[in-house]
């Protein structure tokens, strides 16, 4: 394994460029997509596919889904260098969902720059994002690891299962977003996270297990580890939004309380509504359901969440999930170095910066 | 085989309802998507998935992709009743692309009613459309035909190949749409159609061949037949838009020349620009590239296309493609009844109503 996880990034980006090169030409199109029936327009495909994909990737992102995949592969006793192309599968899928989510959520900023649909138009952005749901699966067909047919079949079936659940999770999230009232409880919130964010993480673990031929119980354990870690991260995000907003609530002109402005039903909000006195719970509901809010209303909502102890509750919850994730790993026979790396992934749940 | 092709529609809709029931409940969710980690919100999933899907299907549509699949299956000597669930795969995929295309194109009307993103919001519509790229593939996992593993693997690989090319085609189309000048020639136009429309048709033929275990040359022949027929249909659509507009150009207040208003680079437009005297070709380019057009300008563009003989050229072209499609079928050892049905599919290319 390379010295630090970040050392893998150039190799991962090189493998992504094998799938979708920065400069598209007819040779690439024929080798990747097959002979054209008539004639490809490589200039059009460059602008429709490669340019937006690399724009997003070049904005940063830690490629942690690809790196986590390679940690698993090494933990399973294989040389990760042989599996870098497979590592691109969850990474490109994830970046595709980001583009599509940003269109669905009407986001304006992504990784510090204008969201892709604001740069290229929503038609190009959406089609590129959707193409990224299928492009990386080509790795399974090209089969650089010369895998037995049953592993390739298992990989496709796993991917279809998890991608179906990803759309369930996104569907629930969008629905709640569009509803004014907070109708759901903690378990439904966690299920939404487990589907929407967790399934892409599960793909990381399950794909590594399937491709290297691990038994079912190992595949399930790494899937659970990845799902729990992803849900804990999501809760961490929700906490950071509130903490960041509480710190900023005095600075006029600064954006704060974004999740509340968007009416997001986070774990903190669900907890605060369940635990606050009725009139304060109703007030929080009203602020979340309003078409727009003043800064004072946002500050009021943040105070209701803080007073309900929802930050402590959510922090404990996320830390518990991360601890359970580590237990899943400890039950497996990984070497100490792999176990250490996998523990490390669960440790940034709350501590990281916004 | 049922007496007429339309007789299959109730069985097809029943099979679709097995995949996505009109009324979603926890039992369905658990049986189809697996046990929840926490708890599903079946009400949310109903509104996010089932309601928009059935709204679109209930507006009509001939389910011809499913019917064509069943014609092939019977032609290959199998009982189509045993394969109705597989017939849903191309049908649901097709309806998913319609929802997504309408968002990408900013369409307002679909099958005589408001486009789905105008009814449910673009977030719900998009997520439902994208979910329909993965939902039907569950049939391969559930495996009602008890297929050998190599056929299931071949089906996944074929689907990924064709769905990748579908996004290439859509990418080319969107790019040209956004460009003002007509930059591409006939071969690139045909390639766009072959990818965008043809690949979904190819899935119909190839899936039927793979699932029933046909040799490669048969799979290739039915794929070519389906692709040619789809491209011919697309050209037929473009012809009908111009013919319909020429007939209506005198009626004030009626919409006409939609393709020209949208700046679509159809086979007729490409031909007219290549064959018209330079100043008329430039005039057509200018009208297509303008942000908006008067009715007089649309009538002028239509006249340039008509005078260039582009209607006759496109009609001949589409009829040639349909004839070549029939030749592909004639080389195969289908029974007369199947051959007749497959010929029938190619005969509505130009003759159908707009």
């Amino acid at each position: 394994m390379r010295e630090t996880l970040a050392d893998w990034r150039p190799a991962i980006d090189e493998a992504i460029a094998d799938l979708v090169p920065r400069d598209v030409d007819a040779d690439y199109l024929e080798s990747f997509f097959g002979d054209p029936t008539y004639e490809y327009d490589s200039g059009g495909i460059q602008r429709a596919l490669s340019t937006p994909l690399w724009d997003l990737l070049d904005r940063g992102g830690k490629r942690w889904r690809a790196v986590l995949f390679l940690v698993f592969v090494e933990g399973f006793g294989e040389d990760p260098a042989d599996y870098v192309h497979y590592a691109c599968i969850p990474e490109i899928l994830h970046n595709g969902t980001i583009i599509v989510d940003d269109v669905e959520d009407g986001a304006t900023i992504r990784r510090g720059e204008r969201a892709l649909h604001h740069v290229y138009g929503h038609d190009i952005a959406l089609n590129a994002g959707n193409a990224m749901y299928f492009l990386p699966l080509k790795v399974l067909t090209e089969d650089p690891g010369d895998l037995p047919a049953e592993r390739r079949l298992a990989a496709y079936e796993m991917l279809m299962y998890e991608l179906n659940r990803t759309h369930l999770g996104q569907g629930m999230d969008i629905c709640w977003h569009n509803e004014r009232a907070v109708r759901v409880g903690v378990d439904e919130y966690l299920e939404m996270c487990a589907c929407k964010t967790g399934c892409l993480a599960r793909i990381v673990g399950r794909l590594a297990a399937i491709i290297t031929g691990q038994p079912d119980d190992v595949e399930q354990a790494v899937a659970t580890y990845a799902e729990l870690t992803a849900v804990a991260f999501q809760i961490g995000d929700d906490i950071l939004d509130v903490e960041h907003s509480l710190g900023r609530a005095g600075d006029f002109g600064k954006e704060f309380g974004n999740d509340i402005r968007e009416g997001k039903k986070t774990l903190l909000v669900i907890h605060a509504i369940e635990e606050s006195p009725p009139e304060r719970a109703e007030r929080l509901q009203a602020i979340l359901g309003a078409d727009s809010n003043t800064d004072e209303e946002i500050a009021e909502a943040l105070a209701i969440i803080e007073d309900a102890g929802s930050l402590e509750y959510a922090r404990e919850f996320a830390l518990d999930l991360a601890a359970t994730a580590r237990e899943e790993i400890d039950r497996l026979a990984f070497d100490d170095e792999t176990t250490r790396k996998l523990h490390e992934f669960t440790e940034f749940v709350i501590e990281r910066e916004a």
Side-chain angles (χ1 to χ4, degrees), chain A:
Chain A
M1 193 75 187
R2 304 195 178 197
E3 278 305 296
T4 72
L5 299 177
D7 291 345
W8 276 107
R9 202 179 138 167
I12 291 162
D13 282 13
E14 230 173 84
I16 295 175
D18 287 343
L19 282 171
V20 185
R22 289 174 180 274
D23 298 303
V24 163
D25 60 22
D27 283 350
Y28 157 69
L29 291 171
E30 284 178 31
S31 70
F32 193 83
F33 296 100
D35 290 334
T37 310
Y38 305 95
E39 190 181 341
Y40 290 126
D41 171 31
S42 51
I45 295 166
Q46 169 79 45
R47 286 193 291 289
L49 217 58
S50 171
T51 301
L53 180 145
W54 281 105
D55 180 351
L56 179 60
L57 290 176
D58 286 339
R59 293 181 187 190
K62 297 185 184 60
R63 316 280 190 265
W64 76 255
R65 287 159 189 82
V67 171
L68 178 58
F69 174 90
L70 295 172
V71 171
F72 281 129
V73 165
E74 184 168 54
F76 294 139
E78 301 285 338
D79 182 353
D82 295 342
Y83 292 87
V84 182
H85 285 89
Y86 295 96
C88 302
I89 295 176
E91 194 58 46
I92 298 180
L93 287 173
H94 164 68
N95 280 281
T97 63
I98 279 183
I99 298 173
V100 175
D101 283 8
D102 280 352
V103 175
E104 290 173 357
D105 300 346
T108 51
I109 300 291
R110 171 59 62 182
R111 295 179 185 156
E113 299 179 37
R114 282 187 301 155
L116 262 72
H117 58 284
H118 284 288
V119 179
Y120 302 101
H122 71 288
D123 48 2
I124 293 279
L126 263 181
N127 188 63
N130 279 177
M132 288 157 75
Y133 294 173
F134 299 104
L135 281 167
L137 278 61
K138 192 69 195 284
V139 175
L140 291 172
T141 307
E142 295 210 329
D143 195 25
D146 199 15
L147 304 175
E150 67 265 23
R151 290 190 199 168
R152 289 158 65 203
L153 179 58
Y156 280 116
E157 302 207 320
M158 178 276 289
L159 284 161
M160 295 306 118
Y161 177 87
E162 300 294 351
L163 289 171
N164 264 314
R165 284 173 66 106
T166 303
H167 286 88
L168 275 198
Q170 176 73 349
M172 285 190 262
D173 196 24
I174 293 170
C175 253
W176 302 344
H177 201 101
N178 294 343
E179 291 168 4
R180 306 231 153 187
V182 179
R183 178 178 55 78
V184 294
V186 169
D187 278 353
E188 284 144 324
Y189 172 80
L190 294 171
E191 187 65 34
M192 183 277 286
C193 291
C195 287
K196 179 179 165 158
T197 317
C199 285
L200 274 164
R202 289 170 60 88
I203 286 173
V204 174
R206 295 187 68 186
L207 191 66
I210 289 170
I211 282 176
T212 59
Q214 305 306 311
D216 282 353
D217 59 331
V218 173
E219 183 184 334
Q220 282 312 317
V222 293
T224 302
Y225 158 85
E227 178 182 319
L228 289 166
T229 305
V231 175
F233 255 80
Q234 183 58 54
I235 296 172
D237 263 350
D238 299 342
I239 294 170
L240 285 169
D241 184 83
V242 170
E243 283 188 336
H244 183 244
S245 300
L246 283 166
R248 281 217 173 170
D251 304 351
F252 279 103
K254 295 273 172 74
E255 283 228 339
F256 72 102
N258 288 332
D259 284 357
I260 292 167
R261 283 181 213 276
E262 287 175 24
K264 269 176 86 170
K265 279 73 178 182
T266 65
L267 185 63
L268 291 87
V269 161
I270 293 168
H271 177 265
I273 286 170
E274 283 174 1
E275 298 299 321
S276 298
E279 69 273 21
R280 295 202 90 196
E282 274 170 40
R283 182 69 188 136
L284 180 54
Q285 289 256 25
I287 294 170
L288 283 163
D291 285 331
S292 68
N293 295 113
T294 62
D295 283 0
E296 287 69 29
E297 286 169 331
I298 298 296
E300 195 184 343
L302 289 167
I304 295 170
I305 291 169
E306 198 178 19
D307 294 349
S310 304
L311 278 164
E312 293 75 15
Y313 167 78
R315 189 177 292 116
E316 277 307 305
F317 208 110
L319 291 173
D320 277 357
L321 291 174
T324 312
R326 286 191 291 274
E327 283 166 24
E328 288 288 328
I329 292 307
D330 294 341
R331 294 194 296 109
L332 298 177
F334 282 123
D335 59 286
D336 291 350
E337 183 59 11
T338 299
T339 300
R340 186 190 63 73
K341 284 176 185 157
L342 292 173
H343 279 208
E344 213 174 275
F345 270 100
T346 69
E347 280 160 14
F348 300 100
V349 169
I350 310 293
E351 286 76 8
R352 72 207 143 106
E353 291 296 304

